[in-house]
Every structure is written in C-alpha cells, then in structure tokens.
Amino acid sequence: MAALASSTVDGELLVWESALPLHPMPVQPRRELTDDDIELLTLLLSGLTDVGIARQLRMGRRTVQRRVRDLMDRAAATSRIQLGWQAARLGWIVGPGDPMGPPRKTPVGADA
C-alpha cells in the first residue's frame, strides 16, 4: 500500500512539475459602459435569449448580437460565459449582496 501511495505521489509531482503556469488573458483597455450597455448585459446575464433581449430593448436580434460581440471584444472574452466572468471582474455588473452596492450615478462626495 505504501508503494502505491509513493508512486501516485511521485506521478503527481511529475505532472505538477511539468505543468505550465496559468496566465489570465490580458484585458484590453475599455471605454466606460453606457446605461444601454449595462441594460443589455444585465438582460443577457439574466438568461434571456437574443430574441428576448431584442424585444425588451425594442431593437433587432442582429443588433443585439452585434452589441454583445462589441461587449465581448471590449472584455477580451471569447464566449458569453467568459463575458459574464469578465464583466464581474471588471466591475461592469454588481451582484446581489455585493458590498460595493449598485453603481453610483454621481461621484462620491458630489451629493454632500
């Protein structure tokens, strides 16, 4: 039993030592999101289809697809799932219970 554990550990060490480091994709500099971008992203992340988003925003399905592609390019995302991850990472979206709260419309201190 000890020999089996030793060979498994040695095998795992060989795999670990030959592994390549994981480097996240670099994020391209981005323009700030407009309210329309945030609304589209929110609907997309809520699970609506392109057709559902198009109806909600009163635009064509292809316009939705073009705008989603633009958001993906800005976030350096290659899939819609990755877009959601990057949107959270970049602070484009705020989830429920997020300690930062919803995005502010006015700069901090301007409403004092």
Side-chain angles (χ1 to χ4, degrees), residues 2-82:
L4 178 62
S6 176
S7 66
T8 302
V9 169
D10 291 342
E12 289 175 2
L13 288 175
L14 288 175
V15 171
W16 184 259
E17 290 173 359
S18 65
L20 297 173
L22 177 64
H23 298 289
M25 289 178 34
V27 176
Q28 300 170 352
R30 65 178 176 90
R31 305 181 306 262
E32 288 300 315
L33 296 183
T34 65
D35 288 342
D36 291 340
D37 291 334
I38 293 169
E39 185 174 14
L40 184 141
L41 188 57
T42 300
L43 294 172
L44 179 68
L45 297 176
S46 295
L48 268 66
T49 63
D50 291 349
V51 172
I53 295 169
R55 284 187 189 132
Q56 186 81 19
L57 299 179
R58 293 188 166 96
M59 62 178 59
R61 177 185 54 86
R62 291 186 59 141
T63 301
V64 169
Q65 291 171 338
R66 188 186 76 248
R67 290 184 56 198
V68 168
R69 169 54 44 202
D70 177 61
L71 288 170
M72 288 173 63
D73 290 344
R74 290 162 60 184
T78 57
S79 70
R80 290 178 179 216
I81 290 175
Q82 192 177 33

